[in-house]
Amino acid sequence: MAIKDYIRQRYFPQMWCPGCGHGTILNALLRAVDELGLDKNSIVMTSGIGCSARISGYVDFHSLHTLHGRALAFATGVKLSKPELKLLVPMGDGDALAIGGNHFIHAARRNIDITAIIMNNRIYGMTGGQYSPLSGPGKKASTAPYTTIDNQFDVVNLSIAAGASFVARSTTYHVLECVDILKRAIQHKGFSVVEILSQCPTHYGRKNKEGDAVQMLEFQKKTTAKLGSKALENDPTLIPRGVFVDIDAPEYCEEYDKIMKRAMKETLQKEPLKNFGNQANQTCDMA
Amino acid sequence: MTDNIKTDENVIKTNNIKFVQGNEACVEGALYAGINFFAGYPITPSTEIAELLSKRLPEKGGKFIQMEDEIASMCAIIGASLTGHKVMTATSGPGFSLKQEALGYACMAEIPCVVVDVQRGGPSTGNPTHVSQGDIYQARWGTHGDHAIIALTASNHQDVFEITVDAFNLAETYRTPVILLFDEVIGHMREKLVIPEQGKLPIVDRLRTSVKKGVDYHPYLPREDGRLPMSDFGGEHRYNVTGLFHDMWGFPSNNPKVVRELLHHLIDKIDNNAHAITRYKEHYLEGAEYVLISYGSSARSAIHLAKNRRERGEKVGVLELQSIWPFPEALVREKCANAKAVIVVEMNMGQVMKEVKACVDNPSKVFLANRIDNKLITPTNIKTLLRMIQGRGV
């Protein structure tokens, strides 16, 4: 299918600033879904609050635009109650790791089959450029006129420590690499994290004198290197890109299925006549 | 055959009789109503609800999850409701505070769900293992912004069971969160519960759209009767759900007309049906000169006192509220019209009393009999005030 078949054209043009990296991520994500040949009815996208979160309105999937930081908690309810659905959860850096940090580490710990995409532009864009937990020290922001003193999280290390079974990083400069990684993340059984470094020329770029969108993209090219590459070996200060973790680990919904089987078996032995499978009856309206 | 051998019929009947805590009666009611998904977080005095459902739900193919906090529990049940399941969470005051954010989301996005608050002393950590009824206003106004809410309560375990079934029914009927305001005494006290046969109590199932695949489905366009048929996530209709003001497709809008109409809809669908949502009981109320208004465990003391006074020829009766929000103004006004005095019996600083004063013809005849010291209010506590009002000395 064409990319336009995955978007709700009724709601375009989108609300992101010119030069924002988020549209690139949307494009990469839709290409990944398309190349995997997934049924649109089988995909639920949940998002939180912020520039990044508006992505869920633009896609022609089941979409749940929720509360700041809580997208993964909502997604957990959707996934566990209907495990056959594919859950895509794009989040901003503040959304995922400040207000949503607790939900993030616990979703990773459970290894529930959800794909978390962190659209990391190192700033709160929608509220006007405040520093985020991924800004790092020495940066300027509207709440750090004298520069930040807060250290940043390393999303990759944090995800691995919390128990995510697939962890990767790319940038909006490396779009084809993004598509590839997103495909692997979506196919992965378990909690997958993809950090995509994105650019906010309006706030972060302007305040930190990183130039326009093109210059910021150049910066992503210059300051990152592929895992296992010569460049990374020669200059360990570069930010590594690629797939850091991809392991098989027990997935939460599958483990819960086993619990249900055990519970039903024990009850069957006690009460053999009891009838199971009490699914809600479908009733239709008369309209 | 001797007479004392139980027939099959009798065996079935005794199997349906239990001696349980109020929290267990709530669980039985939820299962009767068809709960399929529960997310929760441990908190006294509601924890038994989570414990029991962690055992009972997987036995019937339902899901239980203990989330990382109260916020996440509330979010998870909203997600699960959207896939077509009947959902519930349970908590107490401090956890109820944390759920307010997502509770507002459920109001705005019109997600059917049931939230149990087994009240304990507050504010803050308060008194985890003791009784209070201090969350009446939190249930009404805990989440920000204008909205309407349904909150129900009960004073004995049979009623806890039935009102829980009712809560699920109202949640589906009005596409709204429904709050069950129990209290520590009701939650932990043990008494008899008879579980009715399936089919005896009405069950409202999810109203799903009949719009066919490929036809534009409007998730937020009410039918003529005000109801909004739903479509499960994973089904043929893909639509947007948001906490922003939204149009009939569920897409964010700041159009003044859209905003105004949606807010009116959210409030009107409940307030205009207050008569249908109102639930109450009358005890010795016929011709009562002194009307006691109460709810939850404090109603037990009020009923006890009224019975005792009636036996002595005094015209004292009880109006027991089983729905607190929307506040049953018309009912309270009618039942208090001929009373010499109205005494609101509750375990807070007069939260329901203020509502009663606001809707009766003569607010100066409304008095408060309360207790706020961890202890269940006793019939004697109420009697002391009653005798003063009657001019008979303490």
Side-chain angles (χ1 to χ4, degrees):
Chain A
M1 281 196 286
I3 289 305
K4 70 173 172 56
D5 295 329
Y6 291 95
I7 59 175
R8 292 171 174 151
Q9 294 187 61
R10 180 190 288 161
Y11 305 119
F12 276 68
Q14 35 81 352
M15 47 79 75
W16 294 314
C17 302
C20 174
H22 289 358
T24 312
I25 296 172
L26 170 61
N27 195 331
L29 184 59
L30 295 181
R31 280 174 203 279
V33 168
D34 184 52
E35 287 176 26
L36 291 173
L38 299 175
D39 176 7
K40 289 196 282 188
N41 284 339
S42 72
I43 301 175
V44 178
M45 182 182 280
T46 76
S47 66
I49 295 295
C51 298
S52 60
R54 290 304 184 94
I55 193 172
S56 63
Y58 303 129
V59 294
D60 187 22
F61 308 136
H62 303 282
S63 60
L64 184 54
H65 176 234
T66 69
L67 300 165
H68 198 23
R70 321 280 178 229
L72 284 169
F74 282 86
T76 300
V78 174
K79 180 69 187 180
L80 182 60
S81 64
K82 212 171 202 175
E84 63 268 32
L85 295 174
K86 279 270 178 212
L87 267 293
L88 306 179
V89 185
M91 295 172 284
D93 37 305
D95 194 32
L97 293 165
I99 192 164
N102 202 34
H103 307 308
F104 180 80
I105 56 173
H106 286 277
R109 174 179 63 80
R110 287 186 196 104
N111 196 37
I112 188 164
D113 186 19
I114 291 172
T115 301
I117 301 147
I118 298 175
M119 303 158 77
N120 178 11
N121 58 10
R122 301 168 188 262
I123 202 97
Y124 288 86
M126 191 165 266
T127 44
Q130 298 77 29
Y131 65 93
S132 92
L134 297 185
S135 297
K139 299 296 187 314
K140 284 212 164 185
S142 59
T143 43
Y146 307 108
T147 71
T148 51
I149 53 171
D150 302 42
N151 293 322
Q152 75 269 45
F153 277 131
D154 180 319
V155 179
V156 168
N157 287 342
L158 179 69
S159 306
I160 295 169
S165 52
F166 182 97
V167 181
R169 179 191 284 133
S170 188
T171 87
T172 44
Y173 180 87
H174 305 88
V175 191
L176 296 178
E177 183 185 271
C178 274
V179 176
D180 232 35
I181 286 175
L182 285 168
K183 275 165 67 180
R184 282 179 64 183
I186 294 167
Q187 280 180 302
H188 176 79
K189 192 94 196 158
F191 192 72
S192 50
V193 181
V194 181
E195 181 191 16
I196 302 178
L197 305 180
S198 182
Q199 74 277 10
C200 175
T202 304
H203 294 295
Y204 188 90
R206 200 157 46 91
K207 290 193 176 69
N208 290 291
K209 308 220 171 348
E210 287 197 4
D212 60 12
V214 177
Q215 287 167 303
M216 290 184 83
L217 282 165
E218 287 283 344
F219 187 75
Q220 285 177 3
K221 182 189 171 193
K222 276 191 295 193
T223 55
T224 64
K226 238 184 166 152
L227 272 177
S229 67
K230 213 67 200 152
L232 194 60
E233 204 177 295
N234 293 339
D235 183 0
T237 63
L238 294 176
I239 300 168
R241 302 190 323 268
V243 177
F244 297 78
V245 170
D246 183 1
I247 53 168
D248 280 333
E251 194 275 327
Y252 194 82
C253 299
E254 290 184 350
E255 294 303 302
Y256 197 85
D257 273 347
K258 293 178 196 165
I259 293 291
M260 285 199 296
K261 286 202 182 84
R262 267 176 56 194
M264 286 178 185
K265 204 169 148 193
E266 282 173 23
T267 318
L268 266 176
Q269 282 162 356
K270 271 189 288 182
E271 299 172 68
L273 294 176
K274 198 151 181 176
N275 190 23
F276 294 109
N278 183 14
Q279 289 295 317
N281 292 328
Q282 292 229 355
T283 48
C284 281
D285 66 308
M286 308 306 288
Chain B
M1 263 173 86
T2 55
D3 286 347
N4 61 0
I5 289 179
K6 287 176 178 172
T7 65
D8 282 354
E9 196 185 346
N10 283 337
V11 171
I12 291 165
K13 275 184 182 161
T14 49
N15 275 351
N16 284 352
I17 299 174
K18 290 171 179 277
F19 185 64
V20 295
Q21 287 191 329
N23 284 342
E24 189 168 354
C26 172
V27 166
E28 293 294 348
L31 289 163
Y32 188 94
I35 185 176
N36 275 98
F37 189 96
F38 179 96
Y41 187 83
I43 184 168
T44 305
S46 80
T47 308
E48 293 84 4
I49 295 175
E51 288 175 341
L52 290 163
L53 282 168
S54 73
K55 179 165 194 331
R56 299 287 295 278
L57 274 173
E59 289 174 356
K60 57 163 257 186
K63 308 284 173 69
F64 167 92
I65 186 168
Q66 183 172 313
M67 295 296 285
E68 56 271 21
D69 58 31
E70 300 276 6
I71 301 167
S73 313
M74 188 67 212
C75 298
I77 64 164
I78 293 171
S81 183
L82 279 163
T83 64
H85 295 91
K86 288 194 176 179
V87 301
M88 183 170 90
T89 184
T91 187
S92 186
F96 193 43
S97 297
L98 290 170
K99 290 190 193 299
Q100 295 299 332
E101 181 193 31
L103 188 67
Y105 184 91
C107 291
M108 181 59 122
E110 303 188 64
I111 312 293
C113 55
V114 176
V115 181
V116 185
D117 174 14
V118 186
Q119 297 168 91
R120 66 192 224 185
S124 190
T125 315
N127 277 306
T129 56
H130 293 86
V131 71
S132 154
Q133 293 170 328
D135 299 350
I136 302 297
Y137 276 152
Q138 181 171 221
R140 179 65 190 87
W141 292 115
T143 197
H144 59 275
D146 279 313
H147 63 284
I149 198 86
I150 298 175
L152 311 174
T153 181
S155 67
N156 65 68
H157 292 8
Q158 200 62 41
D159 287 353
V160 166
F161 179 94
E162 290 182 18
I163 211 83
T164 303
V165 175
D166 235 358
F168 278 89
N169 288 348
L170 292 173
E172 294 296 337
T173 304
Y174 297 104
R175 269 192 73 166
T176 182
V178 175
I179 295 161
L180 285 168
L181 277 174
F182 299 137
D183 58 57
E184 191 274 339
V185 166
I186 294 297
H188 283 163
M189 179 182 63
R190 286 183 183 274
E191 66 179 10
K192 182 175 144 183
L193 169 70
V194 183
I195 298 174
E197 297 292 326
Q198 276 292 339
K200 193 150 181 254
L201 299 181
I203 302 291
V204 178
D205 283 315
R206 181 68 51 96
L207 178 70
R208 291 182 170 86
T209 182
S210 57
V211 171
K212 298 277 180 294
K213 179 187 178 181
V215 179
D216 203 2
Y217 161 64
H218 303 106
Y220 291 101
L221 182 65
R223 298 193 310 194
E224 266 181 31
D225 63 0
R227 294 189 69 185
L228 290 92
M230 297 183 77
S231 176
D232 297 346
F233 270 20
E236 297 291 354
H237 301 292
R238 298 179 299 275
Y239 59 97
N240 192 50
V241 178
T242 179
L244 289 162
F245 277 97
H246 47 270
D247 60 20
M248 63 183 176
W249 288 281
F251 199 76
S253 170
N254 49 21
N255 178 319
K257 183 171 180 285
V258 170
V259 172
R260 187 177 62 243
E261 285 180 358
L262 176 54
L263 193 54
H264 271 300
H265 161 73
L266 294 179
I267 291 170
D268 291 350
K269 71 174 180 180
I270 289 170
D271 283 0
N272 291 353
N273 287 300
H275 59 283
I277 295 166
T278 294
R279 274 126 176 92
Y280 67 100
K281 279 185 162 178
E282 296 182 19
H283 309 272
Y284 316 104
L285 203 56
E286 188 68 36
E289 292 174 347
Y290 297 93
V291 174
L292 309 179
I293 297 182
S294 195
Y295 53 91
S297 59
S298 50
R300 301 172 74 98
S301 297
I303 295 162
H304 184 94
L305 178 72
K307 179 169 182 283
N308 175 282
R309 294 288 104 184
R310 281 283 180 175
E311 281 164 5
R312 289 158 189 263
E314 292 175 33
K315 290 179 176 171
V316 179
V318 178
L319 172 61
E320 181 193 344
L321 303 181
Q322 293 187 296
S323 63
I324 307 278
W325 305 114
F327 194 74
E329 293 169 17
L331 172 79
V332 169
R333 187 160 45 243
E334 179 201 324
K335 300 295 178 192
C336 297
N338 299 319
K340 283 185 182 167
V342 176
I343 300 176
V344 180
V345 182
E346 56 185 338
M347 288 177 286
N348 58 46
M349 292 296 280
Q351 297 186 20
V352 163
M353 180 201 68
K354 290 194 183 81
E355 295 301 315
V356 172
K357 272 182 182 284
C359 64
V360 294
D361 298 327
N362 181 5
S364 64
K365 71 178 181 186
V366 178
F367 300 87
L368 172 66
N370 71 341
R371 225 177 141 154
I372 51 157
D373 61 353
N374 283 344
K375 297 293 180 195
L376 178 66
I377 192 163
T378 64
T380 308
N381 295 144
I382 310 166
K383 191 176 77 180
T384 305
L385 180 73
L386 177 66
R387 287 179 66 89
M388 281 200 288
I389 294 166
Q390 287 172 327
R392 298 172 58 200
V394 179

